[in-house]
Each structure stands twice: as C-alpha cells, then as structure tokens.
Amino acid sequence: MQSDTGDTFSRVKADLKAGMQVLYSGTPCQVAGLRSYLMKDYDNLYTVDLVCHGTPSPMIFREHVKYLEAQDHSKIVSYSFRYKRKTGWTPYISYQLENGKRKVRMLGEDFYAQCFYASYLHRKSCYLCEYSQSKRAGDVTLSDFWGSELSSKRLKRARKFGYNMVMCNTKKGLQLLEGVKDETEMIACDIAVAIKGDIRLREAEKEPALRQRIYTDFCANGYGYIANHYSRKMPLKSRIVPQILKLAIKELKSYC
C-alpha cells in the first residue's frame, strides 16, 4: 500500500545540514519528492528507489483488515504480505491475531492481494507514472530481477534460492555498491536484460477496466461488498490454478 512519508523530508534536511550521512529509500516518486523538497543536491545524501508495481489506497487496506477481523472475531496485531515460513517463492499472506492464532493464505485466497497484483486498487496517478522507466530517481534502484534467468545459466541455477537486481544510476550508487562488494555475491548483467524482463522499467501500468467500478462500489457499499462481489470476477486462472503449482512449473522450466 502507499506508505506515509510523514515528516521524513524535513528530518532528512535537518540531518543533512547537521553534516550527517543520510540514506533515504522509497518509491521513485517519493525519492523525487524528497529531491524536489530539498531543492539542491547534498554530498552526504544517498537515495534508493524500488521498481514500483503501484500503490493501493491505505484506506482500502484498513477496511480489508476490519473485514478479516470481523471474520476471525479478533484484532489483527501484525500483517505480512510476503510470509516466507512455508516457502521462499510462493507469495503467502499471513497475519497474527490478538487471540494468538496465525492465519496463512495463498495469494488466490486473499481478495486484497488479488486486487493488488491485478492493479485494481492503485492510485489514479500510478497509471500515469512518469517514473516507470529505466531512468531512475534514486542513486540505486532495487528490484526483483524478472527474466534474468533466461540470460545466464548461472542465474538459472541461482533462481531457486532467490536474488535481486541492484542498478547503480549515479557515481554515488557505485560508491555504495563498492562498499559492500566483499560481503555480497554479484553477477554483472547488461541493463537491457533488466529492461526486457520488467515492464515497469519501460512503461506505467495501464488502468484496468474494473478499477473505477470497484472503487465506486466500495464507496457506495463498503469493502465487504466488493470482496464478495468482485472475487468471482477475477480471471479464472488466478482463482483455480494454485500459485504454488504455477511457480513450480516456472522453476522446472528454468532448469530445462
């Protein structure tokens, strides 16, 4: 969901003026917003952006939590979008209840997660995002490295264990990477591999036809209505084919 930057911009400015080194991370629009707020570059400022899929409304997520709490008759005390206890690759949703129980759901069982991956809940501005390109806002860009296993046998083997893309966009970014090179295992790849594998490095997400209808019905009828009404309208394959099976097939293909 969209994060709240709060007073971080003013705190960053104060720390920079005090001579402190600052590392600021966020979505590319947040990093660009910080730079615009500061109105000049600082030698002691380092920025990291991520390749962003889009950000749904925090209000929608709060209503999602209330909906789950009503079903489980207990308050939710923690929530994870990327639960890793069962497997590293399958995208499980997990939340801890105040009564001590933990709920774990696969992607296809969670309406909010389905909507996120289908881009149904993004802010309007996300569909017009000017930062969905290879020219980045931060000194460093972090992301999943989609499609990279097709460019290297070594990456095919490593895909099972997981890795990330680190893209250095400035001299500062290279300095940061240089500082940790002895503590990491790295493979140099052409930037074209990253651009080809990740559409968010090429263009913004297109607004789905259902997006406005879902928001209109949410405002008129509440979250429970859209969760019950639109889950039946999700693409058939996302509701029937288990995510773990699709990922297992992808893993097998990477070894072929």
Side-chain angles (χ1 to χ4, degrees):
M1 82 195 85
Q2 181 181 358
S3 61
D4 184 1
T5 57
D7 63 349
T8 56
F9 286 9
S10 59
R11 289 169 58 193
V12 165
K13 189 172 186 177
D15 287 345
L16 291 171
K17 286 187 172 181
M20 296 175 62
Q21 284 193 320
V22 175
L23 176 67
Y24 193 92
S25 65
T27 60
C29 58
Q30 289 172 336
V31 171
L34 172 65
R35 292 189 181 281
S36 179
Y37 172 83
L38 295 174
M39 294 191 293
K40 72 171 189 176
D41 192 22
Y42 287 81
D43 291 338
N44 49 333
L45 172 66
Y46 299 86
T47 57
V48 176
D49 71 56
L50 54 89
V51 179
C52 180
H53 175 67
T55 55
S57 160
M59 176 180 65
I60 293 277
F61 179 71
R62 287 195 293 269
E63 293 302 312
H64 171 64
V65 168
K66 290 178 184 178
Y67 176 76
L68 296 178
E69 289 175 338
Q71 288 185 326
D72 294 312
H73 308 290
S74 181
K75 297 283 289 182
I76 292 176
V77 295
S78 67
Y79 193 101
S80 173
F81 292 103
R82 302 297 176 99
Y83 188 65
K84 297 294 186 183
R85 292 288 177 87
K86 289 199 171 188
T87 175
W89 276 103
T90 306
Y92 283 96
I93 307 297
S94 176
Y95 55 92
Q96 181 76 41
L97 295 165
E98 197 172 50
N99 62 17
K101 294 181 180 179
R102 174 173 289 279
K103 298 283 184 166
V104 180
R105 296 179 171 187
M106 291 186 69
L107 173 62
E109 300 171 324
D110 186 272
F111 175 71
Y112 182 91
Q114 288 178 5
C115 284
F116 171 74
Y117 285 105
S119 307
Y120 290 145
L121 302 179
H122 292 354
R123 299 176 305 162
K124 278 282 190 180
S125 57
C126 291
Y127 305 115
L128 303 171
C129 180
E130 62 183 88
Y131 303 104
S132 292
Q133 56 175 302
S134 57
K135 184 179 179 181
R136 309 299 299 173
D139 297 308
V140 172
T141 295
L142 301 178
S143 179
D144 300 310
F145 205 171
W146 301 117
S148 56
E149 67 274 12
L150 302 176
S151 68
S152 163
K153 288 184 178 180
R154 185 178 172 191
L155 290 178
K156 272 189 179 182
R157 293 191 293 270
R159 193 69 179 171
K160 179 180 179 181
F161 306 102
Y163 53 81
N164 295 95
M165 180 192 76
V166 180
M167 186 162 67
C168 298
N169 308 308
T170 65
K171 290 182 179 180
K172 283 184 180 179
L174 288 170
Q175 289 171 3
L176 289 175
L177 190 63
E178 186 71 17
V180 298
K181 69 176 184 179
D182 293 335
E183 302 172 51
T184 59
E185 183 178 354
M186 295 184 286
I187 299 174
C189 293
D190 194 294
I191 186 64
V193 175
I195 295 172
K196 181 180 179 180
D198 197 329
I199 193 171
R200 293 287 79 78
L201 289 172
R202 304 194 302 272
E203 60 184 55
E205 187 84 15
K206 298 294 188 293
E207 181 174 346
L210 273 180
R211 192 267 182 194
Q212 192 55 48
R213 286 172 55 193
I214 289 177
Y215 266 93
T216 298
D217 283 340
F218 166 74
C219 293
N221 304 301
Y223 185 83
Y225 175 83
I226 63 171
N228 292 312
H229 182 69
Y230 286 101
S231 60
R232 296 191 296 272
K233 296 181 183 296
M234 292 291 173
L236 193 62
K237 65 179 181 179
S238 70
R239 290 187 281 118
I240 294 179
V241 182
Q243 186 72 10
I244 191 169
L245 179 59
K246 290 189 282 187
L247 289 168
I249 293 171
K250 185 175 180 179
E251 278 298 313
L252 287 172
K253 284 182 177 180
S254 72
Y255 282 91
C256 296

